[in-house]
Amino acid sequence: MYIKDIELHNFRNYSDLKVSFNKNINLFLGDNAQGKTNLLEGIYLNALARSFKNARDKELIKFGEDYCRIKSSFVAFGDECTTEIVISRDGKKGIKADGVKVTRASELLDRLFIVVFSPEDLKIVKEDPEKRRRFIDSELCQIRAGYLSELNDYKKILKQRNAYLKGEHIDMDLLAVWDVQLARFGTRIIEKRKNFIEKIDKISNDIHQKITGGKETLELRYEPSEFNPENVREDIRNRTTGHGPHRDDFKISTNGVDLRKFGSQGQQRTAALSLKLSEIKIIEEEKGENPILLLDDVLSELDNDRQVYLMNSLGENQMFITTTDIVGEVAKRLPEGKIIKIRGGEVETEI
């Protein structure tokens, strides 16, 4: 699986850009705030029709313009494919897969698999549960059919219920209608998350032991928050839904020690790297394809040993790497590829 090229029109700081890519390594070089990450964002958008930075659609449109367009061509499962997305300032989004209009973004799933490494991912272990939920959801959206729709349905119902709880008068019968729906979708989400954590627990531990030379074991423990209609009085009092998958978390430990509370920065980053590498392994096992990897300035956040281990682990995948510079041992280990120098939303040179 690899991306052949991409076209960006009025996307972020790009007016018009078309650039082709190498099947193996594509290095985006340039100073900060020149558009390197924006280019990665455009690539990712063609897989899931949303930004990996959780930006709103209208924020992707170049300032002063009414719309943006992103189109890419890629090879997957031996077939040549295209995806085109047009986003309007009024919130409308048009999507075409191989030239045919699709009505839901979820129809893009199972076509192109992408894993992102960014400095934010190194905070999975130590920061708030929302980051860990996002890690689970981003992977499940790609490997489990229907998960994205179930998650969106759950969030929609949750938003409606929370808005109603903030009102002055609560009709218990009406609230019960939302409760039934939340329980139904919540149960499905929790079951899929539970199975995912069980699988990734073993894979990430194997990777973690290799990175640490067998000195540390990694353990993941799912901590679900199941929605229970019996908590309705508490919810009415607090004017929000206090339980459900939107409050899920999972605990990350090495050698029995809770990394979020007691782990060193090095241990936390090693665990985060193990989790991200396990994403790749699961996609390869589940889908029979090597996912495309986006490394957004992550090399500068890792010490030399972890950089070398990361690069040695990714030989079979097409990679897109953003950096201000690349030197040392990692530069020596990179296979031949393409260097794309970016400045001010334009490609200056391609090597």
Side-chain angles (χ1 to χ4, degrees):
M1 175 175 288
Y2 63 94
I3 298 175
K4 296 173 65 177
D5 57 53
I6 193 167
E7 298 176 39
L8 302 177
H9 180 68
N10 294 336
F11 181 80
R12 290 291 197 182
N13 67 329
Y14 291 96
S15 296
D16 282 291
L17 174 73
K18 181 172 182 178
V19 58
S20 58
F21 301 124
N22 183 276
K23 290 182 180 181
N24 300 313
I25 301 292
N26 298 274
L27 197 63
F28 299 163
L29 282 178
D31 294 334
N32 292 326
Q34 300 303 305
K36 302 189 302 295
T37 298
N38 294 344
L39 187 48
L40 291 189
E41 196 175 22
I43 293 170
Y44 186 87
L45 204 76
N46 280 269
L48 285 93
R50 61 180 173 84
S51 164
F52 68 82
K53 297 169 67 178
N54 293 305
R56 293 180 295 176
D57 283 349
K58 65 180 182 180
E59 295 172 351
L60 305 177
I61 303 173
K62 194 175 191 293
F63 182 76
E65 302 295 342
D66 295 326
Y67 75 99
C68 68
R69 183 174 67 88
I70 309 97
K71 183 178 181 180
S72 71
S73 62
F74 57 95
V75 174
F77 302 103
D79 296 325
E80 296 209 6
C81 312
T82 62
T83 298
E84 182 176 5
I85 299 173
V86 177
I87 300 171
S88 301
R89 183 72 66 180
D90 60 9
K92 294 180 181 179
K93 181 188 290 183
I95 304 174
K96 289 183 179 180
D98 301 327
V100 179
K101 184 177 181 180
V102 300
T103 57
R104 296 174 63 118
S106 59
E107 294 181 59
L108 292 183
L109 301 179
D110 245 6
R111 286 166 51 85
L112 190 63
F113 305 118
I114 292 181
V115 173
V116 181
F117 286 73
S118 75
E120 285 298 304
D121 293 317
L122 298 176
K123 301 175 184 177
I124 291 172
V125 177
K126 69 178 181 179
E127 293 205 353
D128 55 82
E130 192 274 335
K131 277 189 168 41
R132 289 182 286 282
R133 288 193 297 271
R134 190 186 305 167
F135 164 76
I136 298 173
D137 290 340
S138 64
E139 181 78 356
L140 281 173
C141 283
Q142 295 197 77
I143 66 173
R144 288 289 176 267
Y147 183 80
L148 178 59
S149 294
E150 290 172 347
L151 187 64
N152 286 340
D153 287 338
Y154 177 85
K155 289 180 177 179
K156 181 180 179 181
I157 297 162
L158 178 67
K159 183 178 180 180
Q160 292 172 347
R161 188 180 192 268
N162 283 341
Y164 188 68
L165 286 170
K166 290 177 172 56
E168 292 298 321
H169 304 287
I170 303 296
D171 182 330
M172 299 300 288
D173 290 334
L174 180 56
L175 199 60
V177 174
W178 280 309
D179 291 353
V180 170
Q181 293 175 309
L182 275 186
R184 183 172 74 249
F185 288 114
T187 298
R188 295 174 185 173
I189 290 168
I190 286 174
E191 183 63 24
K192 287 183 173 67
R193 286 178 176 175
K194 177 177 179 291
N195 292 336
F196 174 74
I197 291 295
E198 288 176 353
K199 183 162 189 172
I200 206 171
D201 174 50
K202 182 181 184 306
I203 294 173
S204 60
N205 180 45
D206 291 343
I207 293 171
H208 194 82
Q209 289 194 55
K210 290 176 183 176
I211 296 177
T212 62
K215 296 177 182 178
E216 292 182 358
T217 59
L218 187 68
E219 180 184 2
L220 310 181
R221 189 181 72 200
Y222 184 33
E223 297 177 338
S225 174
E226 298 191 37
F227 175 76
N228 188 342
E230 293 181 9
N231 296 321
V232 66
R233 295 296 177 186
E234 179 185 339
D235 290 349
I236 291 172
R237 185 171 60 253
N238 295 329
R239 293 175 176 264
T240 191
T241 306
H243 299 274
H246 60 290
R247 297 294 179 90
D248 277 0
D249 199 355
F250 66 93
K251 184 178 179 181
I252 306 170
S253 305
T254 57
N255 297 343
V257 176
D258 186 339
L259 279 182
R260 185 183 182 192
K261 295 179 181 178
F262 305 110
S264 67
Q265 185 181 68
Q267 287 178 312
Q268 290 172 343
R269 291 191 170 194
T270 301
L273 181 59
S274 299
L275 288 173
K276 294 302 293 185
L277 288 172
S278 64
E279 273 192 82
I280 299 169
K281 185 72 173 175
I282 285 179
I283 290 176
E284 290 172 349
E285 290 182 358
E286 297 265 341
K287 299 298 181 179
E289 275 278 14
N290 296 319
I292 292 158
L293 309 181
L294 311 183
L295 279 65
D296 186 20
D297 201 29
V298 75
L299 295 179
S300 63
E301 300 290 327
L302 298 172
D303 61 28
N304 186 70
D305 289 344
R306 292 182 181 88
Q307 286 183 15
V308 171
Y309 184 89
L310 174 62
M311 300 312 298
N312 285 344
S313 302
L314 306 178
E316 300 298 320
N317 307 79
Q318 185 185 35
M319 281 185 275
F320 297 87
I321 304 171
T322 69
T323 183
T324 55
D325 192 17
I326 188 162
V327 294
E329 190 67 24
V330 172
K332 295 177 185 177
R333 291 175 180 271
L334 282 175
E336 287 190 11
K338 189 170 188 177
I339 298 175
I340 300 170
K341 294 185 178 180
I342 298 172
R343 183 176 181 182
E346 293 183 357
V347 171
E348 286 194 323
T349 55
E350 298 181 37
I351 303 173

